Amino acid sequence: MAKFVFSPVTTRGFWRVSFECQLLLLYARFIHWFYGSGMLRCGDEFKSYEDLCDAISAFQQAEFVQLYVRHSRTIESASATRAPKKKFNEYLVFSEIDYVCHHGGKDYKTTSTGKRPHQKTYQMGCQFRVKVRCSQNGQVLFIKAIENDHNHEISEKAFKHHPRQRRLSEPSVKEAKNMLEVKANKKMVQQHIFKQSGKVVILKDLHNLASKDKRNEVINVSTLVEEMKKVNGAFVEVSKDESDTLSSVYFQTQEWKNTYARYPELVLIDATYKLNNLRMPLYIMMVVDGNGESEVVGLWLVVHEDKVTISHLMDVFMKHNDTSNTRCIMADKDFTERDVFAQKIPSAELMICLFHTLRTFRREITPEKVGINAAQKVAVLEIINKLVYARDEEEYSKLYQRLKDTKLKQVIQYFDDNWHGIREQWVEGLKREACHYLNSTNNRIESINQKIKSVVTKHSSLLTFFRDLMKCFDSLSLERDHRALAVFEKCAVDVLPANYCLSQYQQFLTPYAYSFVVKQFESSDKVKIVVNLNGDHSSIDVYSNGKKLLTTDCGCNCGFYTAMELPCKHIFALRVQTKLDIFEAKLCAVRWTRGYYRSSHRVFSTTNDCSANVEVCSIDRLPVARVLSQREKYRKVFDLSQKLASIASDISTREFSYAVECLEKIVRSWEQGKHVKVEIVEESCLGDANDLLVDHQQDDDKDISDDLLGKPSTDSLFDNTDCKHGNSHHQADLSDNSGDVLSDNPYVMDSDNDIPAISADSSNALVLPADNPSVVFADNDNPPAIPADNDNPPTIPADSDIPLAIPADSNNPPAIPTDSNNLPVISSDSDNPIDVDLTSDKPSPDFVDLTSITLPPKTKKRGRPKGANLTVIGLPKKKNCIGRPVKFLLKPNAERERQILSWMLPDHLIEKALSGERLESNEIGSSLHLKSNLLDENVNWVSVEDFFTDGAWSRITDAMMELENAPKWICYTCSRDLTLSTSVACDSCLNWYHLNCVGLTSAPKKAVWFCRLVLWNSSKGE
């Protein structure tokens, strides 16, 4: 309302402002009197339903009341029943309409059973109502009655937050969708919409808006292949297992094939995880082009990282690409069955990523796995860290002998069995024979993985994942194309003079290769050259690190020349010494030249890859029956247990305890030599679906989905394809010979053991597979006959999954074909290709129905630990410690006293003493073991006297006198006498070590020295 303000300027101005304000006030009072409550009053007439809606909308905005239609009757219904002779105005639409407040309407009576205690409703019994009826002549609508009686507070803010008021206009919805599609920050989008339209939009609305189109999206193998076919020149091959479940997907474009054909020498391969909700790892194959750019040449999506799957995908890759020129493959040490590469491409050298090498040592060399203490672990990792960076075989041998001198049998055995025999693949100084182009890690792929994760939403659907993945690759490809054009479209400002010795290399090589040549030439003057004169003949020897190299004017056996195929500093030094021309084109591999780079890069190519087609066919392969070794049995069961652990880690805490109890029952049964029975139980896949449904009237917040986004599909409650077709699932029932049965229903308790089952149709279920109907499961009363002859055990397929049970008739096992592969696939077959047209209504006789292939179960989202204060191999980071170690004398009194007590007593007595109780003489009797650390000049062991009674302290004093008379100084790592070799003491823990036990060759030069154990504890904040 306008205010009456006195104007000090002129009296005339004062009267003018006052008069205008009076008119506004009178007009407002008239409107309020004429229309009654909020511009609506009884008797108001409306010639059309549209006019009525406008008035109701104006009323809502003015009074901040949200109304909805509680009752209505159309004019068609009225004409047919109540007033058949009345002629209605067709623009009225309704003959009766009742509007009520959103807090009122029909009395709400809950039917909740308490299973969903957090449901809420807007209904509060408000009595506000507006009754609109048709006139007697049927030509107008009029307000018959208004019951203006609210039982709740009315406010503008609450009104704007109502779901119907949060409804956006079509332009705003389109704009918001465009911003969300490019993954704009939802909070920024929220504020942008509020400033543009004044609408209050919560983050839940934006989430629903983004997921509206995805909600009704059909996601299966057919839609995935159809999406992949949209990529120019796509090659797709899909494999399935025996149960028609997706096993792997191979994807490659014609452009990627061309890139691999041009730069096949080095192939990098690694996997990244948690990018899709099926938990399918993404394997990326990558090469390095002539300008040092990382180019993707192949993608694999796999369900199981086993030898059979990897071998099959390598076969597919080799079918589409010529691998004869591949000379080096870099992969992960943990990569399942790395020997597949050696078998498929025997001409290529295998290399292990440096990062994965150090990480594997950190994971495997632990006190739990190899039976060593913390100090021994630090000492061993110190030696292994130096082994990784050994420069040559001689240095490696010395360090290997130091490792053997530790006499830690389990560590040495692990190292010999897994690492010593393949040291050329992971020791940096022994990789000289491999053409790795100075790539010691898979950091190129890790860099791509980070970019992918910044674009692809974590745990997204398979279809969304692939779309976002290709967007990421297209963006990276565009950036690389821009840099490739810059090589030829731009030139350096500081152009080298024509007479400069390296100017020809600058014009001949790509900028990436030229940068290495410059560095080598600049360091060539430091190369040691020895000229040997022998009469009329002379020879020149080149030395590096004190060792003679086999260097000529056109070649060298150093690591750089072998790895990069570019002139090294030794060749430059020799050519300068012999006064030969510095430039020699033969010294540079063709892949690094500008001419080859221009002719091979896609940005300069005019070919179109659109003609490529997707070939799909089915190949069934069965495993070969043979006897498994103990290690192979262990490996197969270990892989299964990993899958089991992965599933169990995602289920709720309540279900997890039940799952663990089920597994413990199986373990106990096997330990007792009992057989576990698997029974098939029929049960409806839908379960009690009514418990999952929500009445929309109970939560009007969901109206935003109906009004703004469209009604959500109830099919999302039943994602399983089989459920939609009405099929029932098989569930496993586990029992042992004692008759204890593990129930299958997670919501029904077992009558004897109260152990809930784990649903087989749940993605978080813990079940045993029971897909093969030909398997005869063991009977409790009639267990299968197992041959007692150890020389003729039952045959088990070599590369297949371990069967659930041994066939009942072990004397007559079924005949199994002797094909070496066992993975039924859908892939391209060069002999019998089948072109699949997913849009055709008439499939060919050999048509492979992709819709019959089911997807693996989805996985729940979960977090993972963040960061670490240790190096890759597990040693503490010196520059990133949480707390710096301090000398013993600088520690707080309480910490010093605890440490002194630790050199005297076991932990339980220390805690008792620190709690305030004085220790008696009989308590410390056999537990008293004094360490030589107490004899250090910095230790005042008398300071802990108050923790003991007089009798107990007398015993400690006597024991200290004996220790001083006969001290025993031993190494904390190897527990041997310190007098055997030079030793050093830690200034914090006061433990003594042999120099070789802590990786030192001489005494530390620093005045204060801390052992690795102290640094380790400091890095963890201890």
Side-chain angles (χ1 to χ4, degrees):
M1 192 65 62
K3 294 183 179 180
F4 294 89
V5 181
F6 175 75
S7 175
V9 180
T10 62
T11 306
R12 182 182 178 184
F14 164 74
W15 285 111
R16 183 175 66 251
V17 174
S18 301
F19 181 72
E20 292 174 354
C21 292
Q22 290 180 15
L23 287 178
L24 289 175
L25 179 60
L26 291 174
Y27 176 76
R29 289 178 177 177
F30 171 78
I31 293 297
H32 183 76
W33 168 82
F34 182 81
Y35 286 100
S37 176
M39 302 174 66
L40 283 181
R41 67 185 183 90
C42 293
D44 288 350
E45 295 182 352
F46 307 94
K47 295 181 179 181
S48 66
Y49 176 69
E50 184 178 354
D51 293 343
L52 174 62
C53 292
D54 292 341
I56 294 294
S57 178
F59 171 80
Q60 293 181 130
Q61 298 296 330
E63 298 295 326
F64 308 127
V65 176
Q66 180 64 47
L67 304 179
Y68 74 95
V69 177
R70 179 67 186 87
H71 164 74
S72 65
R73 185 184 300 276
T74 63
I75 58 176
E76 289 82 1
S77 176
S79 299
T81 57
R82 297 191 175 187
K85 297 182 180 180
K86 183 183 294 188
K87 295 182 179 180
F88 289 96
N89 180 2
E90 61 179 359
Y91 295 104
L92 302 184
V93 182
F94 294 95
S95 64
E96 299 178 10
I97 307 177
D98 287 353
Y99 292 96
V100 297
C101 176
H102 73 292
H103 285 300
K106 183 179 179 181
D107 292 338
Y108 173 71
K109 295 181 180 179
T110 179
T111 58
S112 173
T113 59
K115 292 183 178 180
R116 307 184 71 182
H118 300 295
Q119 300 302 305
K120 298 180 180 179
T121 178
Y122 276 112
Q123 295 182 4
M124 300 179 180
C126 180
Q127 299 300 317
F128 179 90
R129 183 181 297 266
V130 177
K131 293 184 178 182
V132 180
R133 296 293 182 267
C134 182
S135 62
Q136 291 293 334
N137 59 7
Q139 298 303 307
V140 295
L141 292 171
F142 70 95
I143 297 178
K144 183 178 181 180
I146 299 178
E147 300 177 11
N148 192 6
D149 186 14
H150 292 282
N151 65 348
H152 55 85
E153 182 181 356
I154 297 176
S155 68
E156 181 180 3
K157 289 187 177 180
F159 175 72
K160 289 186 175 181
H161 278 266
H162 192 274
R164 293 183 182 272
Q165 296 304 319
R166 301 201 309 264
R167 190 183 306 174
L168 297 177
S169 61
E170 286 297 327
S172 297
V173 170
K174 185 176 180 180
E175 183 182 10
K177 280 187 175 181
N178 292 336
M179 289 188 288
L180 293 174
E181 188 176 354
V182 296
K183 302 185 185 301
N185 187 286
K186 292 182 180 178
K187 297 180 179 63
M188 302 298 292
V189 176
Q190 179 191 51
Q191 295 303 311
H192 174 76
I193 294 175
F194 179 76
K195 291 180 180 179
Q196 293 292 328
S197 64
K199 291 282 188 178
V200 174
V201 178
I202 62 176
L203 297 179
K204 178 182 177 181
D205 299 338
L206 296 178
H207 174 78
N208 293 338
L209 183 63
S211 60
K212 174 187 175 183
D213 297 332
K214 301 176 184 177
R215 193 179 302 149
N216 299 323
E217 190 175 53
V218 178
I219 301 175
N220 52 38
V221 177
S222 298
T223 56
L224 175 63
V225 172
E226 191 66 29
E227 186 68 26
M228 290 180 170
K229 288 175 63 177
K230 297 178 182 178
V231 182
N232 289 337
F235 291 85
V236 184
E237 296 210 4
V238 182
S239 64
K240 62 177 182 178
D241 58 16
E242 299 84 359
S243 60
D244 286 341
T245 302
L246 181 66
S247 178
S248 65
V249 179
Y250 172 90
F251 179 81
Q252 189 180 34
T253 67
Q254 184 63 44
E255 180 182 296
W256 294 357
K257 290 178 62 177
N258 297 338
T259 302
Y260 174 76
R262 295 159 187 155
Y263 301 100
E265 296 87 357
L266 172 65
V267 176
L268 311 175
I269 182 169
D270 199 6
T272 184
Y273 301 85
K274 298 183 179 180
L275 291 177
N276 55 76
N277 60 359
L278 301 183
R279 200 186 286 270
M280 295 180 69
L282 172 67
Y283 279 84
I284 300 177
M285 300 186 71
M286 182 179 291
V287 298
V288 181
D289 70 4
N291 199 32
E293 298 283 0
S294 303
E295 293 283 355
V296 176
V297 296
L299 296 178
W300 302 347
L301 277 170
V302 301
V303 177
H304 304 302
E305 301 175 272
D306 53 19
K307 181 178 180 180
V308 176
T309 305
I310 301 302
S311 178
H312 163 69
L313 291 172
M314 277 301 298
D315 289 337
V316 176
F317 182 80
M318 295 176 66
K319 178 175 64 177
H320 292 291
N321 304 272
D322 181 14
T323 60
S324 59
N325 294 323
T326 299
R327 296 158 57 186
C328 182
I329 299 176
M330 180 177 293
D332 181 4
K333 172 63 179 175
D334 294 335
F335 189 86
T336 305
E337 305 296 346
R338 291 182 64 254
D339 57 343
V340 170
F341 294 112
Q343 296 173 2
K344 301 298 182 181
I345 312 179
S347 60
E349 295 286 341
L350 295 181
M351 283 180 52
I352 304 174
C353 170
L354 174 63
F355 171 82
H356 292 105
T357 299
L358 297 174
R359 189 184 65 178
T360 303
F361 278 124
R362 175 184 178 179
R363 292 178 175 177
E364 298 300 326
I365 299 180
T366 61
E368 296 79 11
K369 292 185 177 181
V370 293
I372 57 178
N373 58 38
Q376 291 172 334
K377 173 184 175 179
V378 173
V380 168
L381 292 180
E382 287 274 8
I383 298 174
I384 292 178
N385 192 52
K386 294 182 178 180
L387 279 169
V388 172
Y389 293 99
R391 292 177 294 181
D392 50 38
E393 185 69 35
E394 181 180 354
E395 183 178 353
Y396 175 87
S397 299
K398 292 180 180 179
L399 293 170
Y400 177 63
Q401 185 59 43
R402 282 183 55 187
L403 180 64
K404 296 177 68 175
D405 290 341
T406 61
K407 297 184 179 181
L408 301 173
K409 295 183 179 180
Q410 293 188 45
V411 174
I412 297 172
Q413 182 179 358
Y414 164 76
F415 185 84
D416 290 342
D417 293 343
N418 297 279
W419 297 93
H420 183 60
I422 58 171
R423 55 186 178 275
E424 295 83 6
Q425 300 180 18
W426 58 274
V427 178
E428 290 300 295
L430 304 183
K431 296 179 181 178
R432 295 185 175 182
E433 299 301 325
C435 182
H436 52 78
Y437 301 126
L438 298 184
N439 291 277
S440 59
T441 66
N442 269 337
N443 285 348
R444 289 178 177 270
I445 296 184
E446 294 297 335
S447 176
I448 294 292
N449 289 342
Q450 293 300 321
K451 294 179 176 64
I452 291 174
K453 291 179 179 179
S454 67
V455 175
V456 177
T457 303
K458 195 175 182 181
H459 299 297
S460 58
S461 66
L462 202 58
L463 206 56
T464 304
F465 156 74
F466 180 76
R467 290 170 181 167
D468 293 344
L469 181 67
M470 296 313 298
K471 291 177 183 178
C472 178
F473 284 158
D474 291 343
S475 175
L476 296 176
S477 178
L478 183 64
E479 292 296 317
R480 290 194 294 267
D481 291 349
H482 177 75
R483 290 192 290 269
L485 287 170
V487 172
F488 300 96
E489 296 294 329
K490 294 183 178 181
C491 61
V493 176
D494 51 342
V495 181
L496 298 175
N499 59 350
Y500 183 61
C501 56
L502 295 182
S503 59
Q504 289 180 285
Y505 281 112
Q506 186 184 35
Q507 300 173 5
F508 184 66
L509 299 175
T510 61
Y512 177 78
Y514 175 70
S515 63
F516 285 97
V517 173
V518 171
K519 293 179 181 178
Q520 291 294 312
F521 181 77
E522 290 176 350
S523 59
S524 61
D525 56 349
K526 300 178 182 179
V527 176
K528 181 180 179 181
I529 301 292
V530 177
V531 180
N532 300 318
L533 300 176
N534 186 9
D536 297 336
H537 302 282
S538 62
S539 61
I540 299 178
D541 295 334
V542 180
Y543 290 85
S544 176
N545 296 325
K547 295 184 178 181
K548 183 179 177 181
L549 298 175
L550 300 177
T551 305
T552 65
D553 58 355
C554 57
C556 185
N557 67 338
C558 68
F560 176 84
Y561 183 79
T562 305
M564 287 296 295
E565 297 180 324
L566 289 171
C568 63
K569 58 184 179 181
H570 311 108
I571 295 178
F572 281 136
L574 182 61
R575 295 182 75 86
V576 170
Q577 181 69 28
T578 56
K579 298 182 180 180
L580 294 175
D581 189 4
I582 294 299
F583 176 76
E584 176 57 57
K586 295 181 180 179
L587 292 173
C588 307
V590 178
R591 72 186 325 272
W592 302 120
T593 62
R594 283 174 173 259
Y596 185 79
Y597 183 63
R598 184 183 182 90
S599 63
S600 61
H601 202 279
R602 59 180 171 271
V603 75
F604 303 106
S605 176
T606 58
T607 59
N608 193 349
D609 299 330
C610 295
S611 59
N613 296 320
V614 178
E615 297 180 355
V616 184
C617 67
S618 178
I619 303 175
D620 295 329
R621 295 168 180 168
L622 296 178
V624 179
R626 69 176 180 86
V627 178
L628 296 178
S629 65
Q630 183 180 6
R631 181 180 180 276
E632 291 172 327
K633 294 177 184 177
Y634 176 85
R635 183 60 181 270
K636 285 187 176 294
V637 178
F638 180 76
D639 292 340
L640 291 175
S641 63
Q642 280 189 319
K643 299 173 188 176
L644 198 64
S646 178
I647 296 173
S649 63
D650 285 331
I651 63 180
S652 65
T653 303
R654 176 177 174 272
E655 293 178 347
F656 177 77
S657 61
Y658 300 146
V660 171
E661 192 168 350
C662 295
L663 295 177
E664 290 175 347
K665 183 180 285 288
I666 296 175
V667 172
R668 288 195 301 269
S669 300
W670 284 6
E671 288 176 344
Q672 297 171 7
K674 298 179 181 180
H675 299 284
V676 177
K677 183 179 180 181
V678 179
E679 296 180 355
I680 307 301
V681 181
E682 299 292 341
E683 185 176 359
S684 174
C685 62
L686 295 182
D688 190 7
N690 294 329
D691 293 340
L692 300 177
L693 298 177
V694 182
D695 189 349
H696 287 284
Q697 294 181 358
Q698 297 182 22
D699 189 358
D700 286 346
D701 267 339
K702 294 188 177 178
D703 291 343
I704 192 66
S705 299
D706 300 341
D707 301 330
L708 174 62
L709 313 174
K711 292 185 178 181
S713 173
T714 56
D715 292 341
S716 60
L717 295 175
F718 315 110
D719 291 334
N720 193 296
T721 305
D722 290 342
C723 297
K724 294 180 182 179
H725 294 285
N727 298 334
S728 60
H729 284 275
H730 293 296
Q731 294 182 336
D733 213 13
L734 308 178
S735 65
D736 54 23
N737 284 346
S738 62
D740 296 332
V741 179
L742 307 184
S743 174
D744 292 283
N745 192 338
Y747 301 103
V748 179
M749 305 299 291
D750 184 88
S751 58
D752 298 328
N753 300 307
D754 290 342
I755 302 175
I758 299 131
S759 176
D761 61 346
S762 173
S763 61
N764 297 328
L766 182 62
V767 300
L768 292 179
D771 300 323
N772 191 351
S774 64
V775 175
V776 180
F777 297 100
D779 190 342
N780 289 337
D781 299 326
N782 300 296
I786 300 177
D789 186 3
N790 295 332
D791 297 330
N792 297 289
T795 58
I796 301 176
D799 297 323
S800 65
D801 292 335
I802 293 184
L804 293 179
I806 301 173
D809 188 4
S810 59
N811 297 324
N812 297 297
I816 300 177
T818 58
D819 194 340
S820 59
N821 299 307
N822 71 334
L823 186 63
V825 299
I826 295 178
S827 68
S828 298
D829 191 345
S830 57
D831 297 331
N832 300 304
I834 299 177
D835 295 333
V836 176
D837 185 4
L838 297 177
T839 62
S840 175
D841 296 332
K842 297 180 179 180
S844 62
D846 297 327
F847 177 75
V848 179
D849 186 10
L850 292 176
T851 59
S852 64
I853 303 178
T854 60
L855 297 174
K858 297 180 181 179
T859 181
K860 288 185 177 180
K861 300 179 182 179
R862 58 173 179 162
R864 59 178 179 177
K866 304 283 186 179
N869 292 303
L870 304 176
T871 60
V872 177
I873 199 172
L875 298 175
K877 295 179 180 179
K878 296 181 179 179
K879 296 182 180 181
N880 191 25
C881 292
I882 295 178
R884 293 290 181 181
V886 296
K887 296 177 62 175
F888 179 81
L889 287 177
L890 300 180
K891 293 181 179 181
N893 291 334
E895 188 175 348
R896 288 204 306 269
E897 291 173 352
R898 174 183 284 273
Q899 193 163 355
I900 292 174
L901 290 175
S902 68
W903 295 328
M904 297 180 177
L905 304 170
D907 292 340
H908 69 281
L909 291 180
I910 295 175
E911 297 300 330
K912 184 177 181 180
L914 294 176
S915 65
E917 299 184 31
R918 302 185 68 184
L919 301 179
E920 300 288 345
S921 177
N922 57 349
E923 291 181 303
I924 66 172
S926 59
S927 301
L928 185 62
H929 296 287
L930 304 184
K931 296 183 179 180
S932 56
N933 305 58
L934 296 168
L935 301 179
D936 193 282
E937 59 183 4
N938 297 319
V939 177
N940 180 21
W941 57 272
V942 183
S943 61
V944 297
E945 181 179 359
D946 294 339
F947 295 104
F948 302 90
T949 61
D950 294 340
W953 184 249
S954 178
R955 295 194 57 179
I956 290 178
T957 304
D958 295 341
M960 280 298 303
M961 292 180 62
E962 295 179 3
L963 181 63
E964 291 174 352
N965 295 331
K968 296 179 180 179
W969 298 95
I970 59 175
C971 176
Y972 188 75
T973 299
C974 64
S975 300
R976 289 185 288 178
D977 194 349
L978 286 176
T979 58
L980 298 177
S981 62
T982 307
S983 57
V984 62
C986 174
D987 288 291
S988 180
C989 65
L990 303 183
N991 291 326
W992 284 82
Y993 301 88
H994 292 126
L995 291 181
N996 57 350
C997 289
V998 291
L1000 299 176
T1001 56
S1002 60
K1005 297 181 180 179
K1006 295 182 179 180
V1008 179
W1009 180 82
F1010 301 110
C1011 65
R1012 280 289 187 178
L1013 188 59
V1014 170
L1015 294 174
W1016 189 314
N1017 294 333
S1018 299
S1019 66
K1020 296 186 292 185
E1022 298 179 1

